[in-house]
């Protein structure tokens, strides 16, 4: 990376099943909020990176047309659940390389349009065709964790208790609520040991960020610019089935270490995180892989309260994928928006007081054969921090 | 662009309806050929940009897993018909910025998996839902050309005669054949005035290129490296419906001029071109927009023989999208492969003798409201040319 990069503005729609709202309109909400937050006009945008998984071909450029952002290079990316953070990463690289002064990254997904009935198995997904859909893969990881590390169903349920409670402070979240461990465990079984309240729902939403070089403090927007200290993107290695590390662990660990090295931080320096918790076991695995605790210690970590709001290192104050919502291509930029609001002290109702270093992690896809299609880890810093 | 970039190797599958061959296997064929051509192993690949329009989420990373290309940043892009050339463009930028020494770009599409029955209108495509599918949009452009510029049905048909004849020399082409103008015009009407033989078919294929900094001549591969003199990517402006310029004209013209300026060439310097001729009128519009002739002169240009093999500036020696085939995400890298083979003198059966400057143009998508989702124009140079 050759030059420093800041996030100048962020925005999101609300996260919900909202099939009545076209994806272009969801994106319009997110992008107009991000542009206003950044203090830039649509005409100032020099390049766009967009993320979507199941969006129609052309949906991102149609959105930009509605916004009057035309004539510029637009690249739409797909990287499974990490599509939005991949768009963010590519925008970060483009600004860091000095190619542009103002780059828009946005993510968009209308899952209700795809998952509203029986789903055809994907042509290239032999595991999925045999029933190894995402809940099954995570269910197997959960079983492995019970077997190898003694993680308990109650510890897994605590992730859902925590993140659904966190979402009570987030007016844009999809599934906030106050639940007991018993209620979580008693909800409908989905893929043993995971129950309904331990699984993310389908969701429709959009989220956006505007990136550019840092602006001077005290001037036009510089005081609220959030420096990006690092962004790393990688795909998984072939998964070693003889390993006790479940699918995705190594990829998240490798990508996290690359990002932390780039940022010059260690896991102990992080004040707040938004990580991939599409299923409760996912947050347990991820907090370990990022080094917040030792291998197998993720269950005890959530039980300790350290990752709850009020603890030393709150994880998923927005509610995470479980409770804010997980609209695939929009998720990563929703995570970025949350961390930006946290670092600016704007996350009313769920603020991590004095947060100065925030981390976003998204892990996307993967099968029984590969250790994740993609992972992005980004390290952001509070405005006005010395680098 | 900060540093020179070369294409070290290219490869493609054959272009055909081949639903029996999984997309991952088509991509395997293209990528292994490109890697062998470049003289590099899978382990040498440092980053990947992949293009697909309707490919399943994850199909590109699954392909890479089969090839043993894992652990590296992989970004899958969608930009309608220009998806493959967008992947090429992003790879070109990444090498030019000095980020990597060896980058793989590939494109993949299995259209038979998507277009094998009734097609649901895309959620975000109101024009398409009303019947303004691609043949209709091109049919309207063709009518406009007849009205404004006196382009004749016979001139349009000549594009199909030429490109289907060119494809006779291309063993990987989908629809080669020797036809008369009368046969073209007498084929089944699709969207007046376009007849069946003036429209591309659906196609399954993959294509790939390996990019890196130029290697020394006389050494390991440097003698066959094809320098990239320019690559430009843009999206369309809102389309001015009161203009006599049909949909896409201005975008292709603007992108072409940007690429030619970057390369320091004019249209008169081009020896061979692969351009977007999904429908015959498309090639007529594109040759004008790229400046091979004046506005409205595209019909007379094809009739003159100048753009036929043996003419001064052959267009689509591979057969083009019409006759080689148009597997959306694979198309752009198929065009790149053809121009690389032409500039190396390897296009046996369809070689443009002494070609030293070659151009690839792909225009993607667009609706009645926007002048094309994306256009990429790249300028390539024969190996060993002084810059």
């Amino acid at each position: 990376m050759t030059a420093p990069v800041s996030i100048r503005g962020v925005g999101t729609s609300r996260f919900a099943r909202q099939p009545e709202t076209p994806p272009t309109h969801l994106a319009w909400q997110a992008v107009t909020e991000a542009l206003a937050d950044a203090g830039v006009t649509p005409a100032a945008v020099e390049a766009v990176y967009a993320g979507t998984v199941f969006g129609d071909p052309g949906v991102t450029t149609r959105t930009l047309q509605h916004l009057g952002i035309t004539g510029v290079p637009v690249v739409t990316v797909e990287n499974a659940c990490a599509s939005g953070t991949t768009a963010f990463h590519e925008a970060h690289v483009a600004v860091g390389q000095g190619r542009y002064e103002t780059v828009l990254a946005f993510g968009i997904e209308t899952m209700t349009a795809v998952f509203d009935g029986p789903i055809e198995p994907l042509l290239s997904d032999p595991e999925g065709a045999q029933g190894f859909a995402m809940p099954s893969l995570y269910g197997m990881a959960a079983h492995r964790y019970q077997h190898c590390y003694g993680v308990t169903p109650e510890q897994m349920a605590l992730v859902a208790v925590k993140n659904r409670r966190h979402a009570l402070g987030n007016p844009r979240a999809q599934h906030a609520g106050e639940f007991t461990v018993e209620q979580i465990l008693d909800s409908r079984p989905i893929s043993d040991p995971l129950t309904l309240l331990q699984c993310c729902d389908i969701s429709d939403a959009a989220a956006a960020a505007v990136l550019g070089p840092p602006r001077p403090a005290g001037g036009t927007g510089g005081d609220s610019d959030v420096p990006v200290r690092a962004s790393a993107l990688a795909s998984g290695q072939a998964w070693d089935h003889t390993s006790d590390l479940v699918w995705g662990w190594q990829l998240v660990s490798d990508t996290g270490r690359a990002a932390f090295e780039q940022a010059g931080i260690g896991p102990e320096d992080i004040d707040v995180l938004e990580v991939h918790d599409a299923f409760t076991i996912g947050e347990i695995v991820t907090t370990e892989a990022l080094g917040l605790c030792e291998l197998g210690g993720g269950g005890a970590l959530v039980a300790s309260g350290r990752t709850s709001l009020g603890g030393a290192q709150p994880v998923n104050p927005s509610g995470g994928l479980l409770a804010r919502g997980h609209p695939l291509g929009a998720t990563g930029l929703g995570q970025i928006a949350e961390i930006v609001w946290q670092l600016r002290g704007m996350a009313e109702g769920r603020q991590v007081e004095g947060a100065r270093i925030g981390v976003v992690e998204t892990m996307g896809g993967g099968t029984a054969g590969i250790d994740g299609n993609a992972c992005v880890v980004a390290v952001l810093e509070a405005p006005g921090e010395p680098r």
Side-chain angles (χ1 to χ4, degrees), chain A residues 35 40 43 95 108 111 135 165 252 257 267 297 302 338 371 380:
Chain A
L35 291 172
V40 302
V95 173
I108 181 174
M111 294 179 76
R165 183 183 292 147
V252 174
R257 270 188 286 125
V302 65
E338 176 68 16
D371 193 31
L380 313 186

Side-chain angles (χ1 to χ4, degrees), chain A residues 45-58:
Chain A
V45 173
E46 295 167 284
V48 180
Y49 291 89
T52 188
V53 179
F54 291 104
D56 295 341

